[in-house]
Amino acid sequence: MSDADQLPIPTSPEPRLEPRAGDADREAVADRLRSAAGEGRIDLGELEERLDRAYAARTYDELDALVADLGGRPADGADSGDDVLVLKPKLANIRQSGRWTVPSRIVAECRMMHIEIDFTEAVCPHREVTVEATCGAGHIRLVVPAGWGVRVDGSSTNTGHIVNKATEAAEPGAPTVTVVGHPRSGLIKIKQRRH
């Protein structure tokens, strides 16, 4: 081997890589966006656009840009008016959980994907909450804390595909969730956490 063969190969400096966001980071931003929509701080069209960008984001900077204008949440007890939260998964399942503010109306629609709405750590300023749940082959799961009431509205269809295991009556002052369910081949399941 000649000396020329042993010369070091010039290398360029390593490019500085931006930190990568993970699935949990994208989901946390998506939850914050849904809560902001439920509080009336962004409209539903903008919510859908931002959710698409959140699930496609690869870096923290891209995620931060989606919530930079939202600031802090309104104080507990602030009236958000006739608010609605729309959950319509396209490419990934949706899990609405953790500490979030429950609007008076939730619209959950899925074809093949799954939606979970977990109220156990949520702040609910309303005594009556309506969940309009429609699913094709996908599943919608609701989890309510002990003390909350749940009833399946009489206008629901295909009730053989609605399983309500939240049989406790609402405690005084606690919210009641009314589910208007329209499952096709999928399933709507309601579960209650125990004390």
Side-chain angles (χ1 to χ4, degrees), residues 105-183:
R105 181 171 162 248
I106 299 171
V107 177
E109 295 180 12
C110 63
R111 292 180 184 172
M112 302 293 292
M113 300 297 174
H114 304 296
I115 299 174
E116 179 172 329
I117 307 171
D118 189 340
F119 296 94
T120 52
E121 294 179 33
V123 175
C124 186
H126 310 285
R127 289 295 156 258
E128 296 286 336
V129 175
T130 301
V131 177
E132 298 169 21
T134 304
C135 61
H139 293 169
I140 298 176
R141 182 172 183 257
L142 283 71
V143 183
V144 298
W148 284 34
V150 176
R151 72 180 195 86
V152 177
D153 190 80
S155 65
S156 298
T157 57
N158 203 9
T159 54
H161 287 249
I162 301 175
V163 178
N164 183 9
K165 296 197 172 185
T167 55
E168 296 177 6
E171 293 178 355
T176 296
V177 177
T178 299
V179 178
V180 183
H182 301 291

Side-chain angles (χ1 to χ4, degrees), residues 6-145:
Q6 296 179 13
L7 290 176
I9 299 169
T11 58
S12 56
E14 288 276 330
R16 187 165 173 250
L17 297 176
E18 210 174 344
R20 292 283 205 172
D23 288 341
D25 303 305
R26 286 186 278 273
E27 199 57 54
V29 168
D31 284 348
R32 189 167 171 200
L33 291 169
R34 289 186 202 101
S35 294
E39 292 159 2
R41 294 191 288 153
I42 57 176
D43 66 37
L44 299 180
E46 189 175 355
L47 171 64
E48 188 170 327
E49 178 194 343
R50 290 197 196 194
L51 285 175
D52 288 344
R53 289 170 55 199
Y55 285 118
R58 300 197 176 271
T59 67
Y60 292 111
D61 284 347
E62 289 174 308
L63 290 175
D64 289 345
L66 296 173
V67 294
D69 61 329
L70 298 181
R73 296 174 179 267
D76 287 347
D79 183 12
S80 53
D82 185 16
D83 46 358
V84 60
L85 171 63
V86 177
L87 304 173
K88 292 185 180 181
K90 290 183 177 177
L91 301 174
N93 298 332
I94 291 179
R95 185 165 189 261
Q96 178 72 30
S97 62
R99 189 164 178 82
W100 57 288
T101 301
V102 180
S104 60
R105 181 171 162 248
I106 299 171
V107 177
E109 295 180 12
C110 63
R111 292 180 184 172
M112 302 293 292
M113 300 297 174
H114 304 296
I115 299 174
E116 179 172 329
I117 307 171
D118 189 340
F119 296 94
T120 52
E121 294 179 33
V123 175
C124 186
H126 310 285
R127 289 295 156 258
E128 296 286 336
V129 175
T130 301
V131 177
E132 298 169 21
T134 304
C135 61
H139 293 169
I140 298 176
R141 182 172 183 257
L142 283 71
V143 183
V144 298

